[in-house]
Amino acid sequence: MSDSTDSWNRINRTLILSLIITLLMYSLAFFFAISSENTIESTAFASNFLSDLYGTDGFNLGLTVIMIATLSIGFFFSVITWATIKERNHGIPGWKEIFIPLLINLVVAGLLVNSNIGTGGISDEHVQEGGTNFTSAMKYTVFLVTLVINALFIFYIANTAPERED
């Protein structure tokens, strides 16, 4: 009886931690997508490196890398969340628990890189046309690299599953 209870406690901890990390990563990605240099500088906790992410014209490598990293980590933990929910319902996680988070992650990536800056009326020279922080090249880079990293993660999952003995 205690082994079963301990197993459920581990599943509950896994579910809660992975859900918190997933939401944190997507929240950070949203924060970086809608922030501008002015809003970063006005926050008390922001350091100089955050301000530098938005301070240059053209392709901002730092912002692009941070968006890719937060979206990829969010995808990783959302897969864990979906698989844990499936296990809690006495099922075995399958491909659906991978492809639903993948679809959600790619939709979120597409929406975030096209989101307008929430402060309205910002006319900084680094803000691109349409009020977004991302140039066209940055949008495609974030989307495609996130897709490739997620595909590599799926490939890793598929090839590390234990082989069945029939």
Side-chain angles (χ1 to χ4, degrees):
M1 180 82 164
S2 71
D3 288 338
S4 175
T5 305
D6 189 43
S7 174
W8 279 109
N9 288 337
R10 275 195 303 266
I11 288 175
N12 288 336
R13 278 192 303 253
T14 301
L15 178 62
I16 291 169
L17 280 172
S18 60
L19 184 61
I20 288 171
I21 293 171
T22 299
L23 294 175
L24 178 67
M25 288 298 115
Y26 285 139
S27 297
L28 280 173
F30 179 75
F31 171 77
F32 287 122
I34 66 165
S35 295
S36 68
E37 187 174 11
N38 291 340
T39 58
I40 292 293
E41 288 175 353
S42 68
T43 58
F45 66 91
S47 60
N48 291 335
F49 87 93
L50 287 177
S51 179
D52 293 341
L53 291 177
Y54 302 92
T56 59
D57 290 334
F59 192 93
N60 297 332
L61 183 63
L63 180 60
T64 304
V65 168
I66 282 183
M67 286 300 291
I68 292 168
T70 55
L71 291 169
S72 297
I73 293 169
F75 170 71
F76 175 79
F77 283 100
S78 65
V79 168
I80 294 172
T81 301
W82 281 80
T84 305
I85 290 171
K86 182 72 173 188
E87 284 182 16
R88 281 187 53 102
N89 294 329
H90 304 290
I92 296 175
W95 288 107
K96 183 173 72 172
E97 285 72 35
I98 293 175
F99 286 115
I100 290 174
L102 175 65
L103 185 63
I104 291 170
N105 193 41
L106 294 178
V107 168
V108 167
L111 291 174
L112 288 180
V113 296
N114 290 307
S115 64
N116 291 335
I117 295 175
T119 56
I122 294 177
S123 60
D124 292 335
E125 64 276 355
H126 69 278
V127 176
Q128 301 303 317
E129 63 283 343
T132 182
N133 286 324
F134 299 90
T135 63
S136 180
M138 289 171 67
K139 291 177 184 181
Y140 287 118
T141 302
V142 167
F143 187 81
L144 292 175
V145 172
T146 301
L147 178 64
V148 167
I149 289 172
N150 294 346
L152 290 173
F153 176 66
I154 292 169
F155 180 75
Y156 173 76
I157 289 173
N159 287 315
T160 57
E163 293 183 22
R164 293 183 188 179
E165 294 181 16
D166 292 327

